[in-house]
Amino acid sequence: MLFCIQELCMSLLLVRKLFIIFFSCLGWGSQSSKVHIHHSTWLHFPGHNLRWILTFILLFVLVCEIAEGIVSDGVSDSRHLHLYMPAGMAFLAAITSVVYYHNIETSNFPKLLIALLFYWTLAFITKTIKFVKFCDNGVGFSQLRFCLTGLLVVLYGMLLAVEINVIRVRRYVFFKTPKEVKPPEDLQDLGVRFLQPFVNLLSKGTYWWMNTFIKTAHKKPIDLKTIGKLPIAMRAVTNYIRLNEAFEAQKNKRSSSPQGSRSIWRALCCAFGRPLLLSSTFRILADLLGFAGPLCISGIVHNVGKGNNTIRPQIKILGVFFISSQEFLSNAYVLAVLLFFALLLQRTFLQASYYVAIETGINLRGAIQTKIYNKIMQLSTSNMSMGEMTAGQICNLVAIDTNQLMWFFFLCPNLWAMPVQIIVGVLLLYYLLGISALIGAAVIIVLAPVQYFVATKLSQAQRSTLEYSNERLKKTNEMLRGIKLLKLYAWEHIFHSSVEETRQKEMTSLKSFALYTSISIFVHFILYDKTLMMMISADFSPSVAFASISLFHILVSPLFLLSSVVRSTVKALVRDILLVLLPITAYFCLSDLAQPLKVVNRKRPAREDWNNYSSHMRRPISITEADDFCVKIANGFFTWTPEGPPALSNIDIRIPQGQLTMIVGQVGCGKSSLLLAILGEMQKISGNIFWSSCTSDSETGEDVRYGRKCASLAVSVWILRYLFCFRRYKAVIDACSLQPDIDILPHGDQTQIGERGINLSGGQRQRISVARALYQQTNVVFLDDPFSALDIHLSDHLMQEGILKMLREDKRTIVLVTHKLQYLPHADWIIAMKDGNIQREGTLKDIQKSETELFEHWKTLMNRQDQELEKETIIERKTVLERTNLRRTMYSREALLKDDEEDEEEVTESDDEDNLSSVLHQRAKMPWRACGKYLSAAGILLLPLLVLSQLLKHTVMVAIDYWLACWTSAAISEKAEPELKNCSHCSRVCDFNHSPYSKVFSILCCLGIVLCLVTSIAVEWTGLKVTKKLHSSLLNKIILAPMRFFETTPLGSILNRFSADCNTIDQHIPATLECLSRSTLLCVSALAVISYVTPMFLIALVPLAIMCYFIQKYFRVASRDLQQLDDSTQLPLLSHFSETVEGLTTIRAFRYEAKFRQKLLEYTDSNNIASLFLTAANRWLEVRMEYIGACVVLIAAVTSITSCLYSKLPSGLVGLGLTYALMVSNYLNWMVRNLADMEIQLGAVKRINGLLKTEAENYEGLLSSSQIPQNWPDRGEIQIQNLSVRYDSNLKPVLKHVNAHISPGQKIGICGRTGSGKSSFSLAFFRMVDTFEGRIIIDGIDIAKLPLQTLRSRLSIILQDPILFSGTIRFNLDPEKKCTDSMLWEALEIAQLKHVVKALPGGLDAIVTEGGENFSQGQRQLFCLARAFVRKTSIFIMDEATASIDMATENILQKVVMTAFADRTVVTIAHRVHTILNADLVIVMKRGVILEYDKPEVLLEQEDSVFASFVQADK
């Protein structure tokens, strides 16, 4: 006794002194830390993690020592405070020590650690003395206190060793020169805000560092600036280097064997296997700790059934009793506390496993994406153009396959964790139930094939759904891209039916998926109920029953998922991951550039950020010393595919140095292919390409006709050199006539331009691309048909000021592909091509002498004499009308983009509050309106069925468990009181009658099975009905929307509604709704059962509920922002991949690979940091919710034990309450997570409902079909009376008081400068614009009175932009299937395409790829002409339809139009004025009014005629 008193006094004295030291030092440390308010001073001392682990173990052992002292003291007649008071003070001291250490570590002042050194030394000495004293008095390992004291000696000794090691490494005391250590590089950068790798172990496990972030997110939106930068170890370039080194190591190991998916798999494991192993270890530990719950429940129910009376200890030493571990664990309260700690530790390990696995997957995804992008830069163009690797496939690799690989890594720990969990669970069941457990195992084995079959069918249904979804999106994309053509041709119903047909197939797959999902849940419930019924044994005690139920709750998930996981894993290892890796492998094995070139000449060397880790870009080329030519090809044969025929044959050309070379020829003759061959973008069969030595250090720039995405006109359009030259910038702007366009943009040259230049006209995109090439100060410039989308004035100005003045006068080598033969006199060298061969090359005079026939042909086409064009073309600025229209388009797009991003609840319906500001004020509110719209779409029958079935199912589930509790309690009572029965004197044992209980139990189980099936079917069918209704309504609304809607709404925004949002409604919302309702009802029912069993629990429930409310409130806001940020950062990444693939030739020509790689790294890191923060936020929530769940279990256990001991609560109800308490711990976090997911997913419903408010065109007419003649219009007479039209009611008119009369069969030519209203004039015939004054009468009928479908189907038009759809040539010419083959061949012959189609395999049934990419631009335009000819209407409109056609083909077409359509009215909007010289009447327009209207010969005779000036300029 004296020893114990001395020990107590010593401990109290030490603790008091330590507190004094701590608070004095902590005051200094806190003052010091105020100077460093950021995390830049954080530093981990040596042994940091070991110290924290030892401290956690120390705290647990001290808690056990306190509990052991209390239990030991409970069996004594008098109180002995010294049994637990010193342990309690040591517990406080241990907590104080770790807080003290944390403050010292963050302030980086190690000298204060000397206090901890003294404390660990004293603690080690005192515990050692106590341990020796126990040994001297005969206390051994059979006594728990002896074991705990020994453990404390070891722990204090190890902590002392850690402290000594810190002194040895840091030398902060006892050494003359202390070691200075700086914080990690990441922490010195205050832009790094993802602190998970740098915080202490407690903060890592509980994500405590996220608290500040979560609270900040509630006050202001989260953006990229808020989340900061990635730590260096997690950046894409770091992981790419790691992966690349692993790839190279595998390549060196297996240099003799071919590289395949197996080597890639090994490289992935080598690079990212260690964190995956750590995650698996955490997962196995968590699963093993999970079995503590059932075991503790069994012990608690068993002990309370016996009154919690422990065996009285037999050993009494030094005046106190010593208990064994068995006696210690026979106390119910001890088991409750141990269960609490086991749950805390299990949840921590589980979330740590999830986090490490997801973080590894994210790092892997970034590395794979970077490696794919690095490979893109080396791909040959032939790989892309011939379909060997399309842009869509690459985007699928990036968006889908890399994510599948990421999630496969996330699921990897399940591969070995689930079998371990099942084996241990079955063994424990066998320990509790004996042979009955084998019956349950037999049921599981019998149902395993059924589960495997269902899982296989689910996978097949998912795959077919994905295939049909891709097909539907492809058709929808084509429909939206060609919507203008569909409306003009009245083909909306055709494509609508096509999309709906595919949608029906998709819905069939979705129904199969829903059915098998319901069956899967049904089998799951059968597995639970039937196994539970069969495992009921004769020895039916509550402890065994509810421990078995808890065990089976643990086993249900792995048993349910094992078949799916095993199937997925086998397929992953054998096929699926190979399918993911094989495209990546095949992709990595694609051929590199066929003819690599190195022709860069910059004043500063190109950036080589991480090129050292990429393979070689281009091979050396042949360089000659001759300076008379720039490029020379000798006997060149080039092809797009190694197996295919040569696309270019017998190429022997030379391009003179410092001169203008023009390449001319008909459509499809190989002009653009020749440029690509020179740049090394084609496969070379034979021959040589020589570059002169003076060009080998120059840069080759190429201009392409399609626009690239640019961040701003002043920066990315030009792909800036290292020094920005404003003077040259302005000169280029003027040469390309871009200043008027820049002036009308909302933010000038800093205006954001959309993908593919979506908010620019074709001419603007083309001039920007030319300006990009002109700005580069290079020796060689390639220009591929830069005039195709420009009118004659812009073309002449660009030719004079840009090409001739800026380029040729600087003695730069220019290679120009063009159809504008009037510019041939400017050429120093001409290359004429025909059918993939060089027809002739030389100067114009050489060709005039040697090829007289060719020269005369050119001269005829040019319609001019052989002389140089020596005049200056004065270009007018664009009209105010055009500026207004473009500004209107730009602002409309920006406004709609903001609306598209908004997915929050609307406070008011007014447009003034429909903006980002109002959204930010509503971030914390649930979108109840969208939820109501979703549920109301289910109908009045399904919705009540859904609600009632869910409520009834969970009521029956609670009734099953409650009845089981009553059953077991009654069985125990019967056995405990045999004397109350009329039994003989122990001659026989009175058996308990199980029959009434078992019958009710069986009925309830069967009812539960039926309700489970009904509920799952109701949920799935509700989702199917809603998604079918919403998609059908959306498709009908969009396809009938006015053209103005498509002009002001980005195509990607509309397509996202059909793709991402429809996919969310199809597959995610039903699953989330089911999971949310299930987890919510389970939590509510569990809390209700616990409250019924122990009403005292309600007192503790209030603060826990308040905590849950605030946690979910803060989490939902942060989760929504992070989810949206994750999605929004993925879009630029995918766009960057897509645009890089499309502009690969341009990027390589400009030698800007390094800049684009750097941009890729930025996009990848932005996406990854958002994903990591989202993962950390999810873990933050789950840790807190599961800790609250553990508190629920502890409180429920303590109150149940107390009620049972003092209020005679049946032990069966104690087991019931504890079982449901464990259920709360499992489902509480899922409830909040699903609530947050549902909130985000309902944004899809809201966005779709926003589009459903779009007003449709008025397709109805005042005239019925019987009032319209069948052959109207049969003559083609057009009367335009005082016509004024506009694009929208709040915009200015684009046509003003136009009057004209066109007689039947007349050929009318319309000309005018850009923005004069020519195209608006043609659209007015189809009522595509708002006619607010005047009218158009065709053959005596006012078109305003006609139904739109009738009007548009009776007219024909050819647009400037050629649009082809994927399918056959027959479908593209006649989608309505009204024409015979002879009619189609006739149309093709008129369009000069008959010989082309006959040469194709299949003829009219030859395949046209998406967008007609397997035909040249000119050929696509000719197909559009043939399509219009097929319709054979009496009115035929050509809107600059020959812009991309060479002059020879154009002249033939003009003659055909004048002869074959002699009896039709033809309205031609002229791109080249000479094409309408033979017209009957010419209309000259300016600013929306008719300026001149007469016969062409009359207008040409007038000296001041505008038309005459146009003709003169076109010569």
Side-chain angles (χ1 to χ4, degrees), residues 982-1047:
N982 295 324
C983 299
S984 303
H985 298 280
C986 300
S987 59
R988 62 186 182 87
V989 179
C990 184
D991 293 331
F992 175 70
N993 185 12
H994 292 273
S995 178
Y997 290 95
S998 62
K999 288 180 181 178
V1000 174
F1001 185 79
S1002 300
I1003 292 172
L1004 288 174
C1005 286
C1006 293
L1007 184 60
I1009 291 172
V1010 173
L1011 285 173
C1012 182
L1013 180 62
V1014 172
T1015 302
S1016 58
I1017 291 176
V1019 171
E1020 297 296 336
W1021 250 248
T1022 299
L1024 287 173
K1025 185 172 181 180
V1026 172
T1027 189
K1028 182 178 181 180
K1029 182 177 180 180
L1030 287 178
H1031 182 274
S1032 178
S1033 302
L1034 179 64
L1035 183 62
N1036 290 332
K1037 268 297 184 189
I1038 293 299
I1039 205 165
L1040 299 180
M1043 199 61 215
R1044 170 69 186 152
F1045 169 78
F1046 299 98
E1047 291 170 351

Side-chain angles (χ1 to χ4, degrees), residues 43-46 104-105 107-111 113 163-173 175 177-183:
L43 183 69
H44 290 172
F45 296 143
I104 294 171
E105 195 175 45
S107 60
N108 194 14
F109 198 80
K111 290 185 178 181
L113 288 176
E163 213 63 68
I164 294 173
N165 183 59
V166 174
I167 297 175
R168 183 186 65 84
V169 176
R170 292 297 302 274
R171 300 169 175 260
Y172 64 87
V173 290
F175 291 93
T177 56
K179 185 178 180 181
E180 294 292 336
V181 181
K182 293 183 178 180

Side-chain angles (χ1 to χ4, degrees), residues 881-1144:
L881 170 65
E882 184 192 11
R883 297 184 187 184
T884 304
N885 288 342
L886 184 55
R887 183 180 291 112
R888 159 179 49 81
T889 303
M890 293 296 299
Y891 281 120
S892 299
R893 289 184 184 279
E894 291 184 357
L896 284 168
L897 279 171
K898 286 184 179 179
D899 291 343
D900 178 56
E901 293 172 358
E902 176 190 340
D903 63 335
E904 307 295 333
E905 183 65 18
E906 297 175 2
V907 183
T908 175
E909 294 296 328
S910 66
D911 294 336
D912 293 335
E913 295 192 10
D914 188 19
N915 52 40
L916 190 58
S917 300
S918 63
V919 170
L920 298 180
H921 290 299
Q922 302 298 320
R923 294 164 68 238
K925 293 188 177 181
M926 279 289 293
W928 296 114
R929 188 174 301 175
C931 183
K933 289 177 180 177
Y934 178 86
L935 294 176
S936 62
I940 58 174
L941 294 178
L942 272 179
L943 187 57
L945 176 64
L946 177 67
V947 175
L948 289 175
S949 61
Q950 287 279 12
L951 293 175
L952 286 174
K953 184 187 81 169
H954 286 87
T955 302
V956 170
M957 289 176 65
V958 172
I960 290 172
D961 293 332
Y962 180 78
W963 188 255
L964 184 62
C966 295
W967 186 0
T968 55
S969 297
I972 290 296
S973 300
E974 185 72 20
K975 290 181 181 180
E977 300 176 0
E979 66 277 3
L980 298 178
K981 304 295 180 182
N982 295 324
C983 299
S984 303
H985 298 280
C986 300
S987 59
R988 62 186 182 87
V989 179
C990 184
D991 293 331
F992 175 70
N993 185 12
H994 292 273
S995 178
Y997 290 95
S998 62
K999 288 180 181 178
V1000 174
F1001 185 79
S1002 300
I1003 292 172
L1004 288 174
C1005 286
C1006 293
L1007 184 60
I1009 291 172
V1010 173
L1011 285 173
C1012 182
L1013 180 62
V1014 172
T1015 302
S1016 58
I1017 291 176
V1019 171
E1020 297 296 336
W1021 250 248
T1022 299
L1024 287 173
K1025 185 172 181 180
V1026 172
T1027 189
K1028 182 178 181 180
K1029 182 177 180 180
L1030 287 178
H1031 182 274
S1032 178
S1033 302
L1034 179 64
L1035 183 62
N1036 290 332
K1037 268 297 184 189
I1038 293 299
I1039 205 165
L1040 299 180
M1043 199 61 215
R1044 170 69 186 152
F1045 169 78
F1046 299 98
E1047 291 170 351
T1048 57
T1049 307
L1051 174 63
S1053 175
I1054 304 174
L1055 196 59
N1056 275 339
R1057 301 295 82 79
F1058 285 97
S1059 57
D1061 289 345
C1062 281
N1063 180 63
T1064 298
I1065 297 173
D1066 286 352
Q1067 301 190 28
H1068 296 288
I1069 291 184
T1072 306
L1073 180 64
E1074 194 276 332
C1075 198
L1076 175 62
S1077 59
R1078 177 162 49 87
S1079 56
T1080 302
L1081 289 173
L1082 280 172
C1083 287
V1084 171
S1085 58
L1087 293 175
V1089 168
I1090 298 170
S1091 302
Y1092 169 76
V1093 171
T1094 55
M1096 288 187 296
F1097 173 76
L1098 290 173
I1099 300 173
L1101 182 61
V1102 175
L1104 292 177
I1106 294 173
M1107 290 173 62
C1108 284
Y1109 171 76
F1110 282 103
I1111 288 173
Q1112 66 85 27
K1113 178 182 177 182
Y1114 280 84
F1115 169 77
R1116 283 195 301 108
V1117 175
S1119 175
R1120 173 188 291 185
D1121 284 357
L1122 288 171
Q1123 184 66 60
Q1124 291 174 350
L1125 197 61
D1126 186 34
D1127 295 338
S1128 63
T1129 52
Q1130 191 176 26
L1131 292 177
L1133 177 65
L1134 298 179
S1135 296
H1136 188 68
F1137 268 93
S1138 176
E1139 290 170 352
T1140 300
V1141 171
E1142 293 169 359
L1144 191 56

Side-chain angles (χ1 to χ4, degrees), residues 20 49 213 244 250 276 289 342 402 466 635 1189 1231 1245 1279 1366:
I20 294 172
N49 289 335
F213 179 82
N244 203 56
Q250 288 296 320
L276 212 58
L289 283 168
T402 56
L466 183 61
N635 195 30
M1231 181 179 70
V1245 179
Q1279 299 178 51
S1366 58

Side-chain angles (χ1 to χ4, degrees), residues 260-487:
S261 59
R262 191 179 298 275
S263 62
I264 293 180
W265 177 252
R266 289 196 185 97
L268 294 178
C269 291
C270 179
F272 300 98
R274 291 182 64 183
L276 212 58
L277 185 61
L278 178 64
S279 173
S280 302
T281 304
F282 285 151
R283 178 61 189 270
I284 292 174
L285 289 174
D287 290 342
L288 293 178
L289 283 168
F291 291 111
L295 294 177
C296 288
I297 287 178
S298 176
I300 290 171
V301 176
H302 177 75
N303 291 338
V304 297
K306 294 184 177 182
N308 202 32
N309 295 320
T310 59
I311 302 172
R312 185 174 181 85
Q314 302 298 320
I315 300 176
K316 188 174 183 180
I317 303 173
L318 300 175
V320 294
F321 287 103
F322 285 74
I323 63 173
S324 65
S325 58
Q326 183 180 1
E327 293 165 343
F328 178 70
L329 294 177
S330 64
N331 187 282
Y333 289 106
V334 170
L335 290 175
V337 174
L338 289 177
L339 175 59
F340 173 71
F341 281 109
L343 285 176
L344 290 182
L345 199 57
Q346 188 247 348
R347 303 307 183 188
T348 304
F349 278 141
L350 185 63
Q351 297 308 320
S353 172
Y354 288 160
Y355 171 78
V356 173
I358 295 176
E359 181 196 280
T360 306
I362 291 172
N363 290 337
L364 167 68
R365 182 182 65 183
I368 289 287
Q369 288 172 347
T370 309
K371 191 162 184 65
I372 290 174
Y373 193 83
N374 196 36
K375 181 65 179 179
I376 286 177
M377 289 299 183
Q378 306 170 48
L379 276 185
S380 171
T381 308
S382 61
N383 296 130
M384 313 300 299
S385 60
M386 301 310 293
E388 189 175 348
M389 180 59 68
T390 65
Q393 287 174 314
I394 291 176
C395 285
N396 280 340
L397 274 178
V398 176
I400 299 175
D401 292 341
T402 56
N403 275 302
Q404 286 181 352
L405 206 55
M406 179 187 75
W407 287 112
F408 175 75
F409 265 57
F410 169 65
L411 292 174
C412 268
N414 290 317
L415 301 183
W416 35 85
M418 280 186 176
V420 171
Q421 194 176 13
I422 291 173
I423 291 171
V424 174
V426 171
L427 290 176
L428 287 176
L429 279 174
Y430 182 76
Y431 169 77
L432 291 172
L433 300 173
I435 197 67
S436 299
L438 301 180
I439 301 175
V443 175
I444 294 170
I445 294 173
V446 169
L447 288 177
V450 178
Q451 288 180 279
Y452 186 87
F453 171 78
V454 172
T456 304
K457 289 297 182 181
L458 275 172
S459 176
Q460 293 174 356
Q462 181 74 17
R463 190 179 297 110
S464 63
T465 301
L466 183 61
E467 291 173 358
Y468 288 130
S469 177
N470 289 337
E471 184 182 351
R472 173 179 61 84
L473 289 177
K474 180 181 176 182
K475 290 183 177 180
T476 305
N477 182 37
E478 286 192 328
M479 179 190 76
L480 293 175
R481 288 187 181 277
I483 190 67
K484 186 174 183 180
L485 179 74
L486 300 186
K487 287 184 172 294

Side-chain angles (χ1 to χ4, degrees), residues 35-64:
V35 180
H36 305 282
I37 59 174
H38 299 292
H39 54 258
S40 56
T41 57
W42 290 5
L43 183 69
H44 290 172
F45 296 143
H48 168 86
N49 289 335
L50 179 60
R51 182 195 296 269
W52 278 91
I53 292 172
L54 292 175
T55 304
F56 290 147
I57 297 174
L58 174 65
L59 291 172
F60 177 74
V61 173
L62 289 172
V63 169
C64 291

